[in-house]
Amino acid sequence: MKRISQDCQSGLPDNCAVKQQQLPAYRLQLSANKILSGFFATGVFCLGVGVILLLSAKTIKEVEINYTEKCANCAKLRENAANFDKECNCSIPFFLPETMKGNVYMYYKLYGFYQNLYRYILSRSNSQLVGTDVKDVRNCAPFKTSHNGIPIAPCGAIANSMFNDTIILSYNLNSSIHIKVPMIRSGITWWTDKYVKFQNPSFQNLSSAFAGTTKPPNWPKPVYELDEEDPGNNGFINDDFIVWMRTAAFPTFKKLYRRLHRIEHFTEGLPAGSYSFNITYNFPVNRFRGEKAVVLSTLTWSGGSSLFLGLAYVVTGAVTWLAFFSMLAVHLRLKERKTFFLQQ
Amino acid sequence: MALCAKKRPPEEERRARANDREYNERFQYASNCIKTSKYNILTFLPVNLFEQFQEVANTYFLFLLILQLIPQISSLSWFTTIVPLVLVLTITAVKDATDDYFRHKSDNQVNNRQSQVLINGILQQEQWMNVCVGDIIKLENNQFVAADLLLLSSSEPHGLCYIETAELDGETNMKVRQAIPVTSELGDISKLAKFDGEVICEPPNNKLDKFSGTLYWKENKFPLSNQNMLLRGCVLRNTEWCFGLVIFAGPDTKLMQNSGRTKFKRTSIDRLMNTLVLWIFGFLVCMGVILAIGNAIWEHEVGTRFQVYLPWDEAVDSAFFSGFLSFWSYIIILNTVVPISLYVSVEVIRLGHSYFINWDKKMFCMKKRTPAEARTTTLNEELGQVEYIFSDKTGTLTQNIMVFNKCSINGRSYGDVFDVLGHKAELGERPEPVNFSFNPLADKKFLFWDPTLLEAVKMGDPHTHEFFRLLSLCHTVMSEEKNEGELYYKAQSPDEGALVTAARNFGFVFRSRTPKTITVHEMGTAITYQLLAILDFNNIRKRMSVIVRNPEGKIRLYCKGADTILLDRLHHSTQELLNTTADHLNEYAGEGLRTLVLAYKDLDEEYYEEWAERRLQASLAQDSREDRLASVYEEVESDMMLLGATAIEDKLQQGVPETIALLTLANIKIWVLTGDKQELLQSLLVETAVNIGYSCKMLTDDMTEVFIVTGHTVLEVREELRKAREKMMDSSRTVGNGFTYQEKLSSSKLTSVLEAVSGEYALVINGHSLAHALEADMELEFLETACACKAVICCRVTPLQKAQVVELVKKYKKAVTLAIGDGANDVSMIKTAHIGVGISGQEGIQAVLASDYSFSQFKFLQRLLLVHGRWSYLRMCKFLCYFFYKNFAFTMVHFWFGFFCGFSAQTVYDQYFITLYNIVYTSLPVLAMGVFDQDVPEQRSMEYPKLYEPGQLNLLFNKREFFICIAQGIYTSVLMFFIPYGVFAEATRDDGTQLADYQSFAVTVATSLVIVVSVQIGLDTGYWTAINHFFIWGSLAVYFAILFAMHSNGLFDMFPNQFRFVGNAQNTLAQPTVWLTIVLTTVVCIMPVVAFRFLKLNLKPDLSDTVRYTQLVRKKQKAQHRCMRRVGRTGSRRSGYAFSHQEGFGELIMSGKNMRLSSLALSGFTTRSSSSWIESLRRKKSDSASSPSGGADKPLKG
């Protein structure tokens, strides 16, 4: 673009369009008609999208049960770190007034848990998690090694703080028959996470692959015992682990825990009725004044969108139209006064 | 070269002994080597780096870099800062190095010029740099003077020597210098080698017109003055050779002392930017403090409890300390509001604009084959803000060529050209010029368009003959006839030359003169007049006369002079003729021509004898000789018969009046500061200047009044200025709303009143008065008066005063000034003004070397300012607005995020995005806009000079605009953060998994940011060339390409710890929710901007909008085009007299001092000269001249 003319000094400058600033160009002129029609169209678009989003968001059914206080015993137990290996269960019954049709997703939701702190996010070792170098804990401060200097696997603050409550949903057909709602634990992660970002070290035996490392201090058991039944879900490629490792952007977040397996009673979804959550309460939230909840939700085409997006669109559309009409008014009044401004 | 610059204690006096290097070395005077370069190879790096780190911005980035190296607070990786910083430093260093290389080259070229130095009695070729104080050097005709010399002797009689001082003061007329009598004898080398005089004189200074010293030789003292000096930069003319003693060399020469130090110029936008950067830094600190306090509170309230999951760093022991660290971390994160790429881009844009200037075909002078040149690349946008232009006159506005244009003879005016229909022909459609082939002695270059005058001469009209006879006799021109018929006139002023040349072409050829005779070829026959007396010219008399006796023995007085003087001294019988001539004079004056009135008077023998006796008495008188002579002259120059009048055109450079008219319309005030013609007397120069003012259309007859200040004392000047102000105020009182004005007067200061003066005024002030006006206690008064005037002309201004005037305006007016000139006397003003423009393609190059821009025609100034300057300013402002906007939008998101991430200095974006955002994703579109944008086509900015005004008023980028940009940026950042936040807080992906993970959020915000700023640049770009399209679409494409590449599996496999965002792009951007969020953000960010622009266009359109839309109408209606009204001329009673002449030549001629041997030898003969005689004598003369060693022994006097 900037060819420097060699003979600039000696003779006449080149007569090329760039040098003479005569490049053919489109002169952007925002004429009144363009702007006004643009505003009108944008208004229509935003209102349309907004209404669609709102309508589809209405179809979503969602149940959220905060069990921080409901399992007060367990919470108290967990406050004392010495009791970390004591099991504590609690059951939370609830009633579903309407059938949740279609796919139902079960989330755990944490309030006030800061997964987005600068040092927290950095505190992981991808080269370890991808299985290339299990002992690479360089970036994992402050959870690099155990007290006696053995590298932690998986190292880092994120892994160490993994959510480890177990939540089981049971459907109470009547007071005596409790059916455990079938849940799928796979398919809750991104494909790239499961198959690219997280890899177990290539050893025949998973436990020997992790030889020379130790479990994170908060974990009750080492990483190769996360799911001993399913080798495809054990070690670093454990779905719950991967979900946890994808850090949340905000201190309040929900992460997918299980999906409804639509068989038997549940082919249509979750029928109305009474249910209960059976929770093995491991994850202490009281220490940081956090809260935790379990969420059941259905989806629409755009995912589990809230009302926010639809409302925002509707408001934007309305404001745009308002602006359109006031601008039109201003324009027409001035046009009567024969300004320079010109219709095109 | 480094040896050149030695620091010495200030000199008290200078001693230089000729031919004694040993003696002179004791004083360690500067050698003749000059050094304008700044660095050498060794000092380059440290000095250059030191200079660069004096820039606020560079130091700031260095500081940030150091911060980033501290691991506890480093929130961004170090390469985000160091790469651009090193890049910037390198580019600047390379640029400085090239500049300095060229300076070295030009220094070398000058220093290695050859000169002949007398060493040990032999003339030797030496380089200029080796010439020392005390050396005797020989100069030959047309050579540059190598150092400041004391003229010792020359080839001309009486040690006279002619020099041209164009390089020094831009004047091309010759000046005479004379050696003191004792040394003028030293013609040959052997004598010179023995010369051991010692000069004691003043220390080096910059006064071009003053020198005082004493020569001690052979136990005698001889006073020395400026009249004996040849200054460096002058050119020897019409002198075969001369010898001079070096008094000042190299940096001590007056030329170099005058050139002053090169100041580093900054544009006002630069200064504003530096202020803004400081403000932004303050803003950063505030943000940092807020976030640090937030962090301390958060760590205290939440962080301490959260330690199970994330213990504090070992170094951190309290929430307070954590807050302190987080302050610095945030300073690092938020520093991207002023990225270093801002400075790089600004430089690139300016460079582009400079190339546009260099490339501009319309600023290329065909005749001299010189293109316009932007010699500095950093001042372009200031060209769009100029409010005051200070222009030199000679060589800049005028060509310093006087042309005999019109004349009025016996009541008839000649010189207008009429076409067939009898209308006055316009320029360009002239018929053939008059054919002078009948006259073998005619000057081929002389052109005249009115054939009737030649017809009148040929018809033998006695008045016409007498008219031209007068012109050929009444002057002080010297003629030289190198070959038979090849006449060269050595006129001491170009006016006289023009008049004598005119007479020559019309058949009255001034051929030669002796102290007592003048030989004229009248229509082919040689007639020798006896020259009885020259009543010389001076500024009070404003006329000169000669008294001659023609071959018939009749004595006649011929007089030419100013109309104001001469018309009163005419015989009453010529009343009728006088009236017609006066009308013609008016007409000429109205056209800006310089007029002279011609008259004659017959004297009878007795009266003359008696008068001559009285004149002799008067000239011998001891006291008040001048006055007595004047009254004697006065007596004889009375009751004269009017012959007619001449009108000389001081040829303007092409297109000067149009340019000045246009620039005036663009609200640029033009001050003419005319040259340094010391010998000329002041009142005269005022007239010359006024004349030029009229012909340039600076002064017009529409003007209410032209004030002329010529006071000699402080009080007079103050009084005159006060009167001028009073007049202006009086008229505005009568013209306008008198009562409101009164109120104003009582409440506000004088300045504001004068600003509001109605009517057009002009101020003309001469150098003498200016000196008083520039004194500290009066400068404000002067400035106020001058600024209330539309045009200001300062005459006889010294170089220093030129700079002072510019400085004065700079200091109090806070306006951008531009100085334009061509001579060395303009250098100081060119360097002082914000922008210096040099006229190139002329002989002197001092001005060009000191200038920031150079071109060869004054008229290119309009294009430089109205097109290039305006666009540069517009583009730079648009660029800056957008740049600050985009970076605030980009950076402030981190601030909002701080409230959701525990103020932990977590960035919203991936660090690669942060690194690349300013370098890759958003740099080129804004650069393309900054380089190519145009609001209106270039023709429009010439048609509507008012379009220039926003620049002068600083409307497009100022603090207010800056805040608007920032507000827009912050607004955008708020939406950019909170809309995705609102969406992400609850939503999930369409497969039910979590949407609101940090990485998806980062990608969403980054993508919508890139899209929003791209749309915004699309709106800001007014001129979409293919390059803009390519850059804008390309940037978006590159963003997505890099995004997907960075998030690809391949890169992750190679560097798992560096590329953490693997798979993010395809997973996130596949979500409809994400796209809906991006679209919504874009709409919400852009729509208000569009709405504001629409309303502004409707309610408060600026001129460029209007012009754009009128353009549309025009295109549609194909309406008639509008052309600029030519500034018409009207005639009012005004004297057009102006004559750049000086006193003293008459005496020189009558004494025969400046006569060459050839003419003197003829002095005895009153008969017709025989050419063979002349030839033989001349040959003798030229022999002696070519071999000075031999010829110098011969007596030169007749």
Side-chain angles (χ1 to χ4, degrees), chain A residues 3 13 20-21 23 26 28 42 107 116-119 126 161 192 197 246-247 249 284 287 289 302 304 313, chain B residues 74 305 308-309 311 359 361 875 900-901 904 906 934 988 992 996-998 1022-1024 1056 1060 1073 1076 1087:
Chain A
R3 273 189 300 123
Q20 301 306 323
Q21 308 197 57
L23 277 178
Y26 167 73
L28 182 72
T42 312
Y107 303 86
N116 56 8
L117 297 179
Y118 176 68
R119 287 174 48 240
N126 280 352
S161 60
T192 45
K197 207 170 178 181
R246 182 151 285 280
T247 52
R287 281 188 218 157
R289 288 185 187 162
S302 62
Y313 263 105
Chain B
S74 157
R305 297 164 201 285
V308 214
Y309 296 118
W359 285 332
K361 233 162 49 107
R875 290 164 179 169
F900 296 87
C901 68
S904 65
Q906 174 61 42
Q934 305 180 0
T988 54
D997 69 291
Y998 166 73
Y1023 189 72
W1024 280 74
R1060 296 149 179 261
T1073 317
L1076 284 172
M1087 278 318 198

Side-chain angles (χ1 to χ4, degrees), chain A residues 1-5 8-15 18-32 35-36 38-39 42 45-46 49 53 105 107 109 112-114 116-122 124-127 130 136 138-139 142-143 157 160-161 187-190 192 196-197 218 246-251 253-256 283-284 287-289 299 301-306 308-309 312-313 316 320 327 330-331 334 340-344, chain B residues 74-76 298 302 305-306 308-313 348 352 355-356 358-362 364 366 369 371 868 871 875 897 900-902 904-906 932 934-938 977-979 981-984 986-994 996-1001 1018-1019 1021-1027 1031 1049 1052-1053 1056-1057 1060 1062-1064 1066-1068 1072-1073 1076-1077 1079-1080 1083-1084 1087 1090-1091 1094-1095 1097-1099 1106 1108-1109 1112-1113 1116:
Chain A
M1 144 194 119
K2 284 195 195 71
R3 273 189 300 123
I4 291 158
S5 138
C8 199
Q9 298 301 311
S10 60
L12 186 69
D14 287 1
N15 189 19
V18 178
K19 294 186 176 179
Q20 301 306 323
Q21 308 197 57
Q22 302 282 356
L23 277 178
Y26 167 73
R27 283 181 191 277
L28 182 72
Q29 307 230 354
L30 293 174
S31 69
I35 292 179
L36 289 174
F39 264 80
T42 312
F45 168 79
C46 288
V49 172
L53 281 173
Y105 298 81
Y107 303 86
K109 187 170 185 178
F113 189 95
Y114 285 81
N116 56 8
L117 297 179
Y118 176 68
R119 287 174 48 240
Y120 183 87
I121 285 192
L122 284 183
R124 64 189 286 162
S125 170
N126 280 352
S127 58
V130 83
D136 178 11
R138 272 172 302 168
N139 299 324
F143 295 100
N160 182 49
S161 60
I188 56 174
T189 58
W190 295 0
T192 45
V196 180
K197 207 170 178 181
N218 279 16
R246 182 151 285 280
T247 52
F250 306 109
F253 57 88
K254 59 181 181 189
K255 285 177 183 282
L256 186 56
F283 194 74
R287 281 188 218 157
F288 60 94
R289 288 185 187 162
L299 292 187
W301 58 276
S302 62
S305 41
S306 62
F308 178 85
L309 194 57
Y313 263 105
T316 308
T320 310
M327 278 155 66
V330 168
H331 177 61
L334 288 178
F340 306 104
F341 205 71
L342 196 81
Q343 293 279 359
Q344 209 181 13
Chain B
S74 157
S75 43
L76 281 177
W298 186 88
V302 185
R305 297 164 201 285
F306 202 68
V308 214
Y309 296 118
L310 187 68
W312 284 348
D313 200 276
V348 170
Y355 273 113
F356 282 140
N358 295 346
W359 285 332
D360 195 339
K361 233 162 49 107
K362 289 176 187 152
F364 179 81
M366 280 302 193
R369 300 211 66 79
H868 288 288
W871 275 348
R875 290 164 179 169
F897 189 53
F900 296 87
C901 68
S904 65
Q906 174 61 42
F932 296 107
Q934 305 180 0
D935 56 343
V936 294
E938 57 180 42
F977 178 80
F978 284 100
I979 290 180
Y981 170 74
V983 176
F984 276 47
E986 288 299 318
T988 54
R989 291 160 56 91
D990 56 4
D991 59 357
T993 54
Q994 177 197 14
D997 69 291
Y998 166 73
Q999 296 188 341
S1000 300
F1001 182 71
L1019 281 177
T1021 305
Y1023 189 72
W1024 280 74
T1025 64
I1027 296 167
F1031 281 170
N1049 303 347
F1052 177 79
D1053 286 344
N1057 283 330
R1060 296 149 179 261
V1062 58
N1064 211 352
Q1066 63 261 44
N1067 278 303
T1068 308
T1073 317
L1076 284 172
T1077 311
V1079 169
L1080 180 68
V1083 167
V1084 177
M1087 278 318 198
V1090 179
F1094 175 87
L1095 291 178
L1097 268 179
N1098 268 277
L1099 301 172
T1106 316
R1108 267 207 299 278
Y1109 285 97
L1112 271 178
V1113 186
K1116 274 188 152 183

